[in-house]
Amino acid sequence: RLLAQPKLTALLAFLALSPDNRPQRRDRIVALLWPELDQAHARTALRKAVHSVRSALGPEALWNRGDEEIALAMPPVWCDAVESRAAADAGRMLRVHELYKGELLEGFHLSGCGEFQHWLDVERTEARERAAAAAWGLACIFERDQRFTDAGMMAKRAVRYSSDDERVLRRTMTMLQRIGDHVGALKLFDEFATRMRQELDADPSPETLRLVSSLRSSASSLGNGI
């Protein structure tokens, strides 16, 4: 019932992802979610939204600090993105990897709320970067333990999560070379180069191209015919 209403979804997301579950000022919330309304009507809209959340989730789902601040009660409410952030802070890379299922609020857009969309873009980027860092950390651990298949899989995921970062691409290709997956490294480059041409009308950097040339030479010397 709540998630069918974009403004309520946005309110829940904003409160859930508040750092350290800190209460948020009502002025801040109405500026994000109802920028088209004057202050009086925006505050009325927020009061109605709060009532809807409490009606659906229970009266204790939201709590106030004074008259001007509001927060989401966690617990009993639980959020995977919040747990992922805590797991990353604690160095629990496997848990971060388990929790990340794709882009935060994938496909969600709040029309006419540019400041909210900017906030959401930042949160999406941070969630994606946490997942990429966790995947790379796990890849390094797996390589150290000579679990090369798992290492390669995690390194490739780090590239997918950091799709436009050539540094992540290069270090992953170098790892794949070390563990003997030359074909996988070159396939990863081909996918990246194709995406750059299609989305940015650009070519990979000279540094990346030099690495690819070295990889092709190495693969040819091994008789892979690449």
Side-chain angles (χ1 to χ4, degrees):
R1 191 164 78 234
L2 293 178
L3 298 181
Q5 303 178 63
K7 292 290 179 76
L8 297 185
T9 300
L11 175 62
L12 287 171
F14 182 67
L15 294 177
L17 292 169
S18 174
D20 301 320
N21 196 32
R22 290 196 296 267
Q24 295 293 318
R25 289 191 59 81
R26 290 174 181 265
D27 287 348
R28 168 71 169 148
I29 296 171
V30 298
L32 283 174
L33 302 184
W34 291 278
E36 76 283 5
L37 300 180
D38 60 45
Q39 187 70 197
H41 287 90
R43 280 179 167 263
T44 298
L46 176 57
R47 284 195 297 272
K48 290 180 178 178
V50 167
H51 176 74
S52 295
V53 171
R54 285 176 169 152
S55 295
L57 301 183
E60 305 303 322
L62 298 175
W63 58 276
N64 298 325
R65 186 167 71 181
D67 294 332
E68 288 300 315
E69 294 183 316
I70 190 168
L72 190 63
M74 302 178 69
V77 179
W78 177 86
C79 175
D80 56 354
V82 174
E83 182 169 336
S84 175
R85 182 192 292 160
D89 291 343
R92 298 167 57 208
M93 293 177 288
L94 183 58
R95 185 57 177 156
V96 176
H97 170 68
E98 291 170 346
L99 287 167
Y100 190 73
K101 304 300 183 183
E103 184 176 69
L104 177 67
L105 288 177
E106 185 173 6
F108 184 80
H109 178 78
L110 208 55
S111 180
C113 298
E115 190 176 350
F116 173 82
Q117 287 301 141
H118 174 72
W119 169 84
L120 181 55
D121 288 342
V122 171
E123 292 291 335
R124 283 171 171 164
T125 298
E126 291 180 355
R128 189 166 56 246
E129 288 176 349
R130 284 194 299 269
W136 178 252
L138 289 169
C140 292
I141 291 171
F142 290 147
E143 183 186 18
R144 181 198 65 194
D145 295 343
Q146 298 186 4
R147 294 171 56 182
F148 297 136
T149 299
D150 291 333
M153 178 185 68
M154 281 297 172
K156 291 172 185 176
R157 287 188 181 179
V159 172
R160 288 203 297 273
Y161 297 154
S162 306
S163 58
D164 59 351
D165 192 331
E166 287 194 55
R167 295 170 300 175
V168 176
L169 174 69
R170 288 194 296 270
R171 72 185 184 185
T172 295
M173 291 171 64
T174 301
M175 174 184 281
L176 293 175
Q177 181 184 34
R178 285 197 305 269
I179 65 179
D181 188 4
H182 294 78
V183 172
L186 292 171
K187 181 179 179 182
L188 207 60
F189 166 77
D190 288 340
E191 292 171 351
F192 178 86
T194 298
R195 189 166 60 250
M196 282 198 71
R197 285 192 294 269
Q198 291 176 344
E199 297 179 2
L200 303 174
D201 193 24
D203 294 318
S205 68
E207 186 176 357
T208 300
L209 294 175
R210 286 194 295 271
L211 175 59
V212 170
S213 179
S214 174
L215 277 167
R216 292 192 190 280
S217 297
S218 177
S220 295
S221 70
L222 293 173
N224 288 333
I226 298 173

